[in-house]
Amino acid sequence: MNERDSRKSTGKVRVMNKNSWNVMVCALKLCLAAALFWGGSDPMAVEAAVLQKSAGAAVGQQGAEALKHSVWGQVGCAPGTGTEQEQSGIPTDQLSFDVSRFVLPSDAKTLVVVEGFAVNGGREVYQRETVEDTALWNRARVTAFVKGANGNWVPRLQSPAVLGWGGMSNKRHSGDGTTPIGLWRADTPFGWAAPDAGFPSEYEQIIPSLRTQYWSDATNRLEHSHVLTAQSGERLWEDWAKELYAYSLNTGFNRNHTHQGAGSALFLHCTKPGKPSTAGCVAMDPSAMRELLKWYAKGALYVAQAPEGQFEAVYGAFSENGDSAPGTFSPSQRQMPDTATILVP
């Protein structure tokens, strides 16, 4: 008995879920597009003509936008749309940037976007051991996207964070407490914690008993030396780093210390209770940092940082050398909306 006869005799109908339906429709559309293309026709032009005729309106310069919202997009075939985006569970309606506009190398697999909000506390607040009053914190929102099957960016992580006591700047210099602005490729995963399953193979665990691992302010790299006096920079094995650097990732800013005086050791790392700001890094929930390291292991991870609503000059500012984004930026005056830590495996 074949499958069709079986369904007829039992009276049961197999209901296709939304994802399966979308996949089937996309496949049919791709087949139709291929047939039109090899037959000498432009698939998009054909659909535009159909839209124009059915809607009774000229497509003209709005053709691309019409096509974007046509059936191609509605079933998840167009970039930046589809059920992956809808089902991720990460709220994106308040984001101050358009993730599809970032210009990245073709190897990009993960994009971490940091939006900086109002500067509420300066150096004096930063120097306190803990600050319970969150109104004095310099807040940031971290949203991580993973490249989906269609090449669109799908949100997979969001977390509140804190940034530099001096706010954000694209003219950063060492000691000013600012978080740099720009777009870079992250590198050098490390931390005090033992590596989890799924961590990158190059993850380097900090072993405090060795007293050799430090982040050099001369090379802006993780270095090793048994001579303590040669360890110029952050001694990663010292006790102060245990919580903050449980999981860490270098943002790629000022790679190899190309720009002397711009600063070094600008990481994504963990925060701890009561921490109001950093010396320039972005510190987030440890669970979020742990998840980012797992995404890093799956392919190139890029980091974009700017004050909220000011990403226009950052979209095309990727720098292999870790340069800051060009342009003029101003401190955000907005307080960060309520943001929870959400992780989507």
Side-chain angles (χ1 to χ4, degrees):
M1 183 181 295
N2 62 38
E3 185 180 353
R4 184 175 64 179
D5 292 338
S6 174
R7 288 201 304 268
K8 185 176 180 181
S9 63
T10 61
K12 294 181 180 179
V13 178
R14 181 181 177 187
V15 179
M16 188 176 292
N17 63 34
K18 185 178 180 181
N19 283 343
S20 299
W21 173 257
N22 285 346
V23 169
M24 185 187 76
V25 175
C26 281
L28 290 173
K29 283 183 169 291
L30 289 173
C31 290
L32 175 59
L36 289 169
F37 177 79
W38 290 110
S41 299
D42 181 353
M44 288 298 194
V46 171
E47 186 178 11
V50 173
L51 284 173
Q52 181 177 356
K53 185 174 181 179
S54 61
V59 176
Q61 295 180 349
Q62 298 178 353
E65 189 65 18
L67 288 172
K68 179 180 177 182
H69 296 288
S70 70
V71 179
W72 292 89
Q74 292 171 16
V75 298
C77 298
T81 65
T83 56
E84 280 186 315
Q85 184 90 8
E86 296 164 3
Q87 296 176 359
S88 71
I90 305 292
T92 58
D93 56 317
Q94 294 188 40
L95 298 181
S96 67
F97 57 88
D98 180 352
V99 69
S100 68
R101 295 186 60 193
F102 288 102
V103 181
L104 298 169
S106 59
D107 66 347
K109 299 297 183 185
T110 302
L111 173 61
V112 178
V113 184
V114 179
E115 300 169 274
F117 290 85
V119 177
N120 298 311
R123 183 197 293 266
E124 186 275 329
V125 174
Y126 162 71
Q127 290 175 335
R128 300 181 199 174
E129 185 66 25
T130 59
V131 177
E132 298 300 329
D133 184 1
T134 58
L136 297 176
W137 293 13
N138 293 354
R139 308 300 294 269
R141 178 169 55 202
V142 177
T143 309
F145 301 80
V146 174
K147 187 169 288 186
N150 295 329
N152 55 309
W153 288 108
V154 182
R156 282 288 182 263
L157 178 154
Q158 193 167 80
S159 177
V162 293
L163 44 72
W165 59 261
M168 304 188 83
S169 174
N170 64 334
K171 296 178 174 60
R172 187 184 198 282
H173 60 83
S174 183
D176 68 1
T178 61
T179 296
I181 297 171
L183 178 58
W184 320 286
R185 177 172 175 162
D187 59 52
T188 319
F190 70 94
W192 275 58
D196 275 8
F199 265 32
S201 58
E202 66 267 38
Y203 176 81
E204 181 167 343
Q205 185 177 3
I206 302 302
I207 309 298
S209 60
L210 296 178
R211 297 162 61 92
T212 60
Q213 296 155 299
Y214 71 104
W215 195 273
S216 170
D217 58 10
T219 65
N220 200 13
R221 293 196 299 265
L222 198 163
E223 307 281 10
H224 306 79
S225 176
H226 290 282
V227 181
L228 296 185
T229 55
Q231 295 181 10
S232 176
E234 290 192 357
R235 295 176 177 176
L236 304 177
W237 49 268
E238 291 183 337
D239 192 61
W240 63 266
K242 183 175 183 178
E243 286 185 82
L244 298 177
Y245 293 168
Y247 306 107
S248 306
L249 188 62
N250 184 38
T251 61
F253 169 73
N254 197 19
R255 194 180 305 280
N256 300 322
H257 214 174
T258 304
H259 301 287
Q260 297 295 317
S264 59
L266 277 303
F267 307 139
L268 302 178
H269 64 71
C270 302
T271 190
K272 62 181 182 180
K275 184 173 181 61
S277 58
T278 70
C281 296
V282 175
M284 69 191 79
D285 188 278
S287 64
M289 267 310 308
R290 184 171 59 246
E291 196 67 20
L292 280 185
L293 291 181
K294 294 179 181 180
W295 287 114
Y296 177 91
K298 297 179 180 180
L301 184 150
Y302 290 79
V303 179
Q305 299 184 163
E308 61 88 22
Q310 299 180 53
F311 282 87
E312 193 64 38
V314 177
Y315 290 132
F318 169 69
S319 170
E320 190 67 48
N321 292 326
D323 298 342
S324 294
T328 301
F329 297 85
S330 58
S332 172
Q333 302 302 312
R334 289 188 61 214
Q335 299 299 326
M336 188 180 76
D338 289 341
T339 301
T341 298
I342 304 174
L343 311 176
V344 181

